[in-house]
Amino acid sequence: MLTISHVTRAFGSLQVLRGVSLTITDGEIVCLLGPSGCGKTTLLRTIAGLETADSGDIQVDRQSIRDVPIHERDFGLMFQDFALFPHMNVAQNILFGLRMRHMPKPQAQQRLHDVLELVGLKGFEQRDVAQLSGGERQRVALARSLAPSPRLLMLDEPLGSLDAALRERLVVELRDIIKRIGLTAIYVTHDQHEAFAIADRIAVMNAGQIEQVEAPPALYRQPKTPFVARFLGFQNIVPVTGRIDGKVQTPLGVFAIRPHPLIPSPPGGERNFSGAKRGEVSLLLHPDGLQLAAAGDGSRITGIVRELVFSGDTYRVEIQHDSGISLSFRVPSREMGEITVGETVYVSVAEDCIVPLVKR
Amino acid sequence: MDRNRPALNLLKGVVLLAPLLFLVVFFFYPLLSIFAVSLAPEGTLDLSGFTRIFTSDYYRRTFWFTFGQALLSTALTIGLAIPGAYVFSRFSFPGKSLLMSLATLPFVLPTVVVAAAFSALIGPRGLLNQTLMSLLGFSAPPIVLERTLTIILIVHVFYNYAVALRIISSFWANQSVRIEEAARVLGAHGWRLWWNVRLPLLRPALLAASILVFIFTFTSFGVVLILGGPRFATIEVEIYRQVTSLFNLQVAAALSLVQIGFMFVLMLVYTRLQRQTTTDLQAAQSVVRQPRTVRERLFVAANVVLIVLLLIAPLAALVLRSFTSQGALTTQFYTLLSSNPRGSVLFTPPLTAVGNSLVFALATTALAVTLGLITAVLLSSRASRLARWLDPIFMLPLAASAVTLGFGYIIALDEPPLNLRSSPVLIPLAHTLVAMPFVVRSVLPSIRGIPPNVRGAARSLGASPWQVWRWIDLPLISRGLIVGATFAFTVSMGEFGASLFIARPDTPTIPIVIFRLLGQPGATNYGQAMAMSTILMAVCAISFVLIERLRTAGVGEF
């Protein structure tokens, strides 16, 4: 439905978008995830028409929208601050888009009624927007952008200004509403949990580029770059120093990995992996696959316990290997034995949780 | 977004340039004419005007008087306003907000009205002297303040007390009481609390208020001209005298130039400081409480009494004096306003001046609002790098005094290419220059206050740029626009300095009629001056109420 190709944008000398390409299919919710300053909001604003791309193209149904002014793009846009019109009540806010399209009154009233029901705000028509709670404002903003039945809904951190508990509830509701009307949507956030909950696919952005596009479970299991892994909160990243017999060598020992297109087999056995590119490839030891193991058990990592943090259902355990590398993982509280800080422990690594990372 | 409509963009450009064009023709051109007259009256460089004003004792005295009275007025005003500001920012008491509003009223009162009010209270023909004479049998007015420095200072304090009070108390109210509490816990109390904590914290506000008051009193014109008598003259008054009685344009131009230079420096310092005080302001919790101890109550009461005496008594005296003749209540001065007795100094009945003033004020309002609105839109568009340059330029008319402006009009606009000397449009043009900065300042915050994404939201909902302006911007700035319009109207109604130069004898404005009446002997002329002043004060007071209402209500809604 929407095709973004090689879009670039610079503000002065600052390159905010460095050739972004992304395709979104009909009825899909795609999430742009990344830290602040990664260009996700600029990309959204460029799609909306609030910014102009320096180069590249954006197409809707194979029609370029480069020269279509914002108000003729027929997109819905929802802002983090909701941007409700302060001089209008709830009904006037929602009717604004319909008025601009000269929709006949009875039809517009029907639509108003429908969207208010959809977002669960029946009876709020005459309320002053200044008197609404944060959650109610968010719903009014959603209703306002849904009312003109846009081809594409864009949401710029729509839950960013709400508290965590409310956010968790509303994100589910939001996905439910968008899916119910079968809308195509782009959702911008810096919160991975929000992204996991709402998106069909997540595009992780870094420094004006898309690092990886993936469905949420696959993204979580198999991050492809060190940036994505770190952004998702994974810390157990170890450098790859060489390669022996189809296995990779790290300071923690030798690990077997599945064939990876970006890690070519070097010609001729036990040689350094690649002198020039050393550090470019690393391994993520996914914390989900780390477990405390009994002593003397074969291919294990040995380390000294540095930190034990109790957080209810789990403990977070951090161990340090002889090489100085630290690994962190969670252990269910009831499986924790009598471990103390400073003790030497053994950790096993599940084979499918050894994820190769290649720096872009 | 309108790349494809060059004609529309051209029109937009022309509209956006209109305020700049206006400024060039009706501000910079007269100003340059002053430069020309002072530096090269005959076309060749001739600095004799400057040598005269810098070598003569007379002008040196004028400089020193201008500077000295401004310094004294500022010190007095700030000294009185600090305790007042403390009371307003720390204590709550009945009638507080009403008192604050009343205290601000002088700001919109024309100098002529204020001069008349003080004359009505403590002048030789004023209420106090008349009462004392009839009660105690004095043969001459016992209180002689007219034509003294004292009355000039009192009136300057009257004018500027509220300005200082507002700046200082709002700064104070926004400052956390916690800092003071911390200082208290650390052992500061009494005068050490004032000297080491309160005043240093207040410094930005004190400086800003001082400079503003200094600017106002340095260029004081009407007050000194009417109440000071021939003995006293600020630079401003001297310019007027040099032009109108001595026809010494070169000296007047040189004086104007010196004053413009000085004002410009002060304005620069002020805008710098103002930026500082506004960024320093953080929304802090302030604790306003009722005065508890006897000392606190006395402190509050003393300040309230001061405000009432200083600010309200003269205005009350003015109204009273306009309705009394030889101890009896009468409305004769008001009825006399519509007649034109033989031998009057005026060519028309005084009441026609009300009509003139209204017409001029309405024209000024229309022009100032149009140009001011365009200017504000121009300045608020962050994209235009021009805006940063233009902002101070549009404030310049405030730095050049009204008298300078009027003088500039006389020497610049009375010959081709622009011969408007005999045209009555000169007055609204001059008034617009003075009023435009007020409009810009009233509208700009509400334009800048529109949440950034609101326009984008409207665009994405299908509104064209014009529709966004019509349905979003315009309703949201309407309050600011009305405030600006009211300001423009009030400024025009009360403008004195420039009008005195350029008003035609047959189309005088209210302040000019009052000035002429005050300069005449006779109880009837005096009474009529009081009546006219009362009318003007009422108009300004009503405008002021409107401004206050809309401004405070606006804060709550946006």
Side-chain angles (χ1 to χ4, degrees), chain B residues 433-485:
Chain B
L433 268 178
V434 183
M436 219 168 79
F438 287 99
V439 178
V440 174
R441 289 296 136 195
S442 309
V443 177
L444 204 51
S446 47
I447 292 190
R448 287 194 175 138
I450 296 176
N453 286 331
V454 159
R455 291 195 191 94
R459 291 297 310 272
S460 76
L461 286 167
S464 66
W466 161 248
Q467 283 172 316
V468 172
W469 167 247
R470 170 67 190 87
W471 298 109
I472 307 296
D473 289 61
L474 202 59
L476 283 176
I477 63 173
S478 59
R479 264 170 205 285
L481 214 52
I482 295 173
V483 169

Side-chain angles (χ1 to χ4, degrees), chain B residues 52-135:
Chain B
R52 257 155 80 193
I53 64 170
F54 283 122
T55 49
S56 128
D57 271 350
Y58 177 76
Y59 296 115
R60 203 172 297 149
R61 269 204 306 279
T62 306
F63 286 137
W64 279 117
F65 174 74
T66 309
F67 191 80
Q69 62 82 22
L71 209 60
L72 268 176
S73 304
T74 307
L76 267 175
T77 307
I78 302 294
L80 283 173
I82 290 175
Y86 185 74
V87 165
F88 270 99
S89 59
R90 288 288 185 268
F91 297 115
S92 67
F93 49 88
K96 180 177 166 182
S97 58
L98 180 71
L99 201 64
M100 183 58 126
S101 289
L102 279 177
T104 322
L105 176 63
F107 191 69
V108 297
L109 287 185
T111 46
V112 187
V113 169
V114 174
F118 272 88
S119 163
L121 183 67
I122 48 180
R125 292 180 280 186
L127 216 55
L128 220 53
N129 275 324
Q130 279 191 340
T131 317
L132 288 174
M133 279 158 75
S134 64
L135 279 183

Side-chain angles (χ1 to χ4, degrees), chain A residues 337-359:
Chain A
E338 297 279 304
I339 294 175
T340 53
V341 172
E343 199 174 318
T344 301
V345 293
Y346 305 93
V347 175
S348 70
V349 187
E351 217 163 276
D352 61 343
C353 286
I354 301 168
V355 184
L357 304 172
V358 180
K359 195 174 178 214

Side-chain angles (χ1 to χ4, degrees), chain A residues 1-81:
Chain A
M1 187 240 163
L2 183 80
T3 312
I4 303 160
S5 19
H6 310 293
V7 165
T8 65
R9 176 75 170 124
F11 295 122
S13 61
L14 186 70
Q15 196 72 36
V16 181
L17 296 177
R18 305 164 185 263
V20 174
S21 298
L22 181 67
T23 303
I24 298 170
T25 56
D26 246 329
E28 191 183 27
I29 303 177
V30 170
C31 187
L32 302 177
L33 177 68
S36 61
C38 71
K40 56 189 192 301
T41 293
T42 305
L43 179 59
L44 192 79
R45 291 174 66 87
T46 309
I47 300 169
L50 293 168
E51 307 281 350
T52 322
D54 295 335
S55 67
D57 195 21
I58 299 172
Q59 294 183 334
V60 176
D61 300 332
R62 295 198 185 75
Q63 296 273 313
S64 173
I65 56 166
R66 247 194 102 89
D67 291 322
V68 180
I70 314 168
H71 60 286
E72 287 162 22
R73 289 193 182 192
D74 209 1
F75 291 170
L77 180 54
M78 202 174 139
F79 293 95
Q80 174 169 12
D81 59 6

